[in-house]
Amino acid sequence: MRFIADLHIHSKYSRATSKEMVLEEIDRWADDKGILVMGTGDFTHPVWFKEIKEKLEPAEAGLFKLKSQYKKKTLKGNLSETRFLLTSEISSIYSKVSAETGEKNVHRIHNLVFAPDIETIESIITQLSLIGNLKSDGRPILGLDAEELARIVFNVNPEAVIIPAHAWTPWFSVFGSMSGFDSLEECFGKQAKHIFAIETGLSSDPAMNWRLSKLDNISFISNSDCHSLQKIGREANIFDTELSYSGIIDAIRNGIPNQHKSAQNQHKSAFIATIEFFPEEGKYHYDGHRNCDVVFAPEETKKHKNICPKCGKKLTIGVMNRVDELADRGVDYKDDKRVPYYSLIPLDEIIAESFGLVGTKTKKVVEEYNNLIKSLGSELKILLEVNEEEIKLFADPRVAEGIKRVRNGQVKIHPGFDGEYGKIKIFGEKEREKLES
Ligand SMILES: [Zn+2]
Ligand SMILES: [Zn+2]
């Protein structure tokens, strides 16, 4: 069956995460967003894990659902069919001597861990709790080499999966400009052969990743990494596969273009597409210094020799620059065998921009958002599927036009940099007034 999955989120037990990130709310919000399978996030956190065990019950193989006594109605007034897959994110901070240069470098890397059952998690928790504190943060920080993390996880259960999270962000990722590696092999050593996917993150899209031939045997997934309910599904994966843990993992593996697949498996488990931000909207697309208000495209950074002209310190090198550094193919490189993707902007942001408002939490935006979900289905259905005429029946004319423009890629974005999200422009002031009258 065809469905959408968001496999990287955080619970209220993670730092800087909304108190509303609880299973009851995630369950119904996923439905309004158009997501069938959600990651649980944070399974290494003891209290969250207890809630997972209490409130979820087994559904299809390797998937779980919220027990009926905890269900709350969605915006549309129904009960959701949301499934949960057991996921967590581990932050590893450690130093390692490079085999190539002999230098000792500090690395900061985030990895996603997926597991097919509760027993696997219990065993992973037991081992990781010997290494560091799992209680202080839903995304624990461990002084654990990523290769060793992989060894522990695969020893517990070879069906478990490790996927480097937001693989390009400068400070905390496998390829990050500030503390990452130049290849998966350098990072994962002997375990590298078991790493078959990376998460592209908000600041890069699949096409940027296609430029590295060393990732030709790697599948690219996309998830929201959300810290609040509103951001569920802002990036996600569309699969056509059996609704089960192994169905989803097979589909991800089948996102590798050269993957040898039996005709039967290929038919059963397809990776249809990913749903993406425009990468310019991500927080680390360009280079710069937020406090100095300096934002540079990679060429300008090069001209300034990576130094901030305001404060004289090293600039935070963003994702576009870093991809360019490691890529061996040009910016226009295309690969038809790759999983295609949709570039979208979240509906509440389209509504805010269409009304000329700054925040997405204003009453007017929330009212229009709720109205559209109630009349047209889910957010991703509205952004991807519902036809223009039908949208026009229910949406403010400016919002209907905004959705159309996003679908056509007619947006202007001031790229994000050094932790600051990019800023979207869909309309000029005059255009908006015209649509209003
Ligand atoms: Zn992370
Ligand atoms: Zn500066």
Side-chain angles (χ1 to χ4, degrees):
M1 70 185 277
R2 194 179 169 112
F3 60 89
I4 306 180
D6 179 359
L7 303 173
H8 180 182
I9 69 160
H10 290 283
S11 75
K12 65 173 180 173
Y13 300 106
S14 275
R15 247 199 294 173
T17 299
S18 157
K19 289 284 157 274
E20 296 176 330
M21 288 300 279
V22 294
L23 292 165
E24 294 87 333
E25 293 296 331
I26 297 166
D27 177 79
R28 66 166 166 177
W29 272 78
D31 193 80
D32 286 327
K33 289 286 183 177
I35 308 278
L36 182 62
V37 179
M38 290 295 298
T40 58
D42 296 358
F43 71 54
T44 50
H45 192 274
V47 186
W48 186 242
F49 184 44
K50 200 165 150 250
E51 288 177 27
I52 288 172
K53 285 190 287 186
E54 264 169 29
K55 294 181 179 170
L56 302 185
E57 61 186 4
E60 298 77 10
L63 299 178
F64 297 81
K65 60 183 180 191
L66 191 66
K67 289 179 182 168
S68 58
Q69 66 261 41
Y70 298 109
K71 289 264 182 193
K72 290 179 172 179
K73 283 195 173 146
T74 64
L75 272 179
K76 298 178 296 266
N78 61 317
L79 296 177
S80 84
E81 289 293 320
T82 306
R83 298 295 189 262
F84 288 91
L85 189 147
L86 302 166
T87 67
S88 199
E89 184 184 31
I90 313 281
S91 176
S92 282
I93 302 183
Y94 59 103
S95 57
K96 184 171 181 171
V97 177
S98 162
E100 243 168 70
T101 62
E103 275 173 55
K104 194 173 181 180
N105 295 311
V106 173
H107 298 285
R108 302 184 194 86
I109 290 167
H110 289 184
N111 283 297
L112 299 173
V113 183
F114 300 167
D117 54 60
I118 298 284
E119 297 70 40
T120 299
I121 299 184
E122 268 164 353
S123 189
I124 292 172
I125 288 175
T126 306
Q127 299 204 41
L128 294 185
S129 60
L130 301 173
I131 294 161
N133 185 355
L134 301 181
K135 297 185 190 82
S136 59
D137 195 337
R139 184 190 56 211
I141 301 170
L142 304 175
L144 177 63
D145 190 312
E147 179 177 355
E148 179 64 8
L149 170 69
R151 201 189 58 76
I152 291 171
V153 168
F154 298 138
N155 259 354
V156 170
N157 188 342
E159 302 289 306
V161 168
I162 292 198
I163 296 180
H166 39 78
W168 293 98
T169 54
W171 299 103
F172 293 100
S173 76
V174 68
F175 297 137
S177 61
M178 307 318 244
S179 45
F181 293 89
D182 288 353
S183 71
L184 292 172
E185 289 72 23
E186 263 179 68
C187 175
F188 288 100
K190 284 192 186 122
Q191 301 298 326
K193 57 179 182 288
H194 303 302
I195 308 296
F196 57 86
I198 61 173
E199 183 186 66
T200 52
L202 302 179
S203 299
S204 89
D205 64 12
M208 292 168 71
N209 289 270
W210 300 343
R211 295 182 56 203
L212 284 82
S213 63
K214 61 176 145 189
L215 297 180
D216 282 352
N217 289 315
I218 296 293
S219 184
F220 302 132
I221 65 168
S222 286
N223 302 297
S224 69
D225 192 0
C226 65
H227 290 54
S228 66
L229 297 163
Q230 290 76 12
K231 294 191 161 54
I232 287 174
R234 60 183 174 174
E235 291 206 336
N237 312 281
I238 309 179
F239 299 124
D240 190 352
T241 183
E242 182 188 273
L243 184 60
S244 69
Y245 178 87
S246 60
I248 290 168
I249 303 306
D250 281 350
I252 296 174
R253 282 183 189 276
N254 284 341
I256 303 169
N258 304 322
Q259 179 77 347
H260 174 77
K261 34 202 159 188
S262 65
Q264 196 191 7
N265 186 29
Q266 186 172 18
H267 179 69
K268 264 184 10 202
S269 303
F271 196 160
I272 301 295
T274 56
I275 293 163
E276 305 281 332
F277 261 34
F278 290 90
E280 295 87 353
E281 211 193 338
K283 285 197 277 193
Y284 292 102
H285 188 67
Y286 264 16
D287 313 324
H289 266 174
R290 182 149 56 152
N291 291 337
C292 304
D293 208 21
V294 167
V295 46
F296 282 163
E299 312 83 75
E300 294 169 275
T301 305
K302 225 169 268 167
K303 267 187 230 155
H304 287 87
K305 300 194 164 58
N306 292 9
I307 299 297
C308 172
K310 279 229 178 110
C311 72
K313 290 186 191 140
K314 202 176 169 235
L315 290 163
T316 303
I317 302 301
V319 166
M320 196 182 171
N321 193 330
R322 181 64 177 155
V323 168
D324 212 52
E325 193 183 341
L326 296 186
D328 54 348
R329 294 170 177 147
V331 283
D332 297 327
Y333 180 80
K334 293 211 168 42
D335 189 343
D336 297 339
K337 284 187 291 180
R338 279 287 187 185
V339 174
Y341 63 94
Y342 298 97
S343 302
L344 293 181
I345 289 172
L347 182 57
D348 57 359
E349 288 180 35
I350 297 176
I351 295 171
E353 162 65 8
S354 301
F355 289 161
L357 298 168
V358 177
T360 53
K361 289 195 172 145
T362 48
K363 196 168 160 230
K364 209 176 158 197
V365 175
V366 174
E367 273 176 7
E368 175 78 354
Y369 182 89
N370 292 354
N371 160 47
L372 290 180
I373 302 295
K374 281 180 201 163
S375 18
L376 291 169
S378 69
E379 173 168 344
L380 287 172
K381 191 173 161 206
I382 293 166
L383 294 177
L384 292 170
E385 287 172 29
V386 180
N387 72 48
E388 224 179 294
E389 295 311 311
E390 206 177 335
I391 292 175
K392 277 186 186 157
L393 291 178
F394 299 97
D396 181 284
R398 290 164 291 179
V399 173
E401 176 66 18
I403 294 171
K404 184 177 145 193
R405 290 189 184 191
V406 169
R407 284 181 179 177
N408 296 335
Q410 292 170 282
V411 295
K412 281 206 189 87
I413 305 168
H414 295 290
F417 67 101
D418 196 21
E420 183 121 332
Y421 281 109
K423 291 187 184 67
I424 306 160
K425 278 261 158 249
I426 305 175
F427 296 100
E429 275 317 311
K430 294 244 165 65
E431 289 179 303
R432 199 182 283 126
E433 278 164 28
K434 236 189 261 168
L435 281 161
E436 204 168 0
S437 55

